[in-house]
Each structure stands twice: as structure tokens, then as C-alpha cells.
Amino acid sequence: GDLDKVVNLLLSLSGRLARVETALGSLGPHASAEDKLALREKRRLLVAQLEDAKELKEHVGRREEVVGAMVARYLPAEHLQDYQHFVKMKSALIAEQRELEEKIKLGQEQLRCLRESL
């Protein structure tokens, strides 16, 4: 459960950071200094939060290793492989799901912008 939460947090922060960087990159020369400053501050905060989330993931990873070692004592090798595969695939699937959700959001934003520009 903690792994799911941390992976979702990392993906959420990464997505938000990407959107802020895109917004910063798309600011025209006539953008106000306040807008630029606000986006740069938001980016700075997101980068710090992302670093914190990475440390949290490392901590969860260490806990996962401890739990895996305890589980290994009680499960036969065949079941242990199933457990390890489940944990690995669950994280990968969560990351893939979140990435697809972000791509859908980005596509919807782009579509909205295109409709507004027409």
C-alpha cells in the first residue's frame, strides 16, 4: 500500500512539474514578471517535493526488502517468485496507468486549446 502511494506521489509530482515547465517554456516575451516569478517558484517547490518523494521511495524500498526477507522465510521458492513478481508488476502497472492518465489529460488540454484557437 505504501509503495502504491509513493509511486502515485512521484508520478503526480512529475506530471505537475512537466506542466509547469511547459507553461514556463510557452510564456511569451510579453508575459508579466509576476507570472514568470510565480511559475519559477512553483517549479522550485515541485522540484523540492519531488526530491523528498524520491527519498520516501528509497525508504519504502528498504522496508520492502525487509518484508521480502521475512516473507522468504515462510514461503516456498515458487510462491516467493509469485510474490516478487506481483510486487514488481503492481508498481509498473501503477506507473503505466498514471502515465496514461497524464497523457489523456495533456491531450484533453491540447484539444481544448486547439478548439479555443479556432
Side-chain angles (χ1 to χ4, degrees):
D2 288 345
L3 181 60
D4 295 352
K5 292 173 188 170
V6 171
V7 168
N8 279 324
L9 176 63
L10 282 167
L11 294 171
S12 175
L13 290 170
S14 296
R16 289 173 57 198
L17 182 59
R19 285 192 297 278
V20 167
E21 288 177 344
T22 299
L24 270 170
S26 66
L27 284 178
H30 303 295
S32 72
E34 291 175 358
D35 289 343
K36 290 178 183 178
L37 184 61
L39 284 173
R40 286 185 183 129
E41 179 61 17
K42 191 177 228 182
R43 182 188 179 285
R44 187 189 66 76
L45 289 172
L46 286 169
V47 167
Q49 289 175 339
L50 190 58
E51 289 303 315
D52 290 345
K54 287 178 182 178
E55 288 179 24
L56 199 60
K57 185 175 185 309
E58 289 175 13
H59 175 73
V60 169
R62 288 189 297 272
R63 273 191 21 218
E64 181 183 333
E65 289 176 14
V66 170
V67 169
M70 289 189 321
V71 167
R73 284 188 247 153
Y74 298 102
L75 290 180
E78 177 183 308
H79 291 148
L80 180 61
Q81 287 177 343
D82 290 343
Y83 167 78
Q84 291 168 336
H85 179 73
F86 170 78
V87 171
K88 185 188 304 182
M89 289 308 298
K90 187 171 183 179
S91 296
L93 290 173
I94 289 169
E96 187 175 338
Q97 177 185 5
R98 190 61 177 236
E99 183 178 331
L100 290 172
E101 288 170 355
E102 291 295 323
K103 285 181 180 179
I104 289 169
K105 282 183 187 177
L106 179 61
Q108 289 171 338
E109 287 176 23
Q110 290 173 338
L111 186 58
R112 182 183 51 79
C113 290
L114 284 172
R115 285 184 180 150
E116 288 174 1
S117 69
L118 294 175

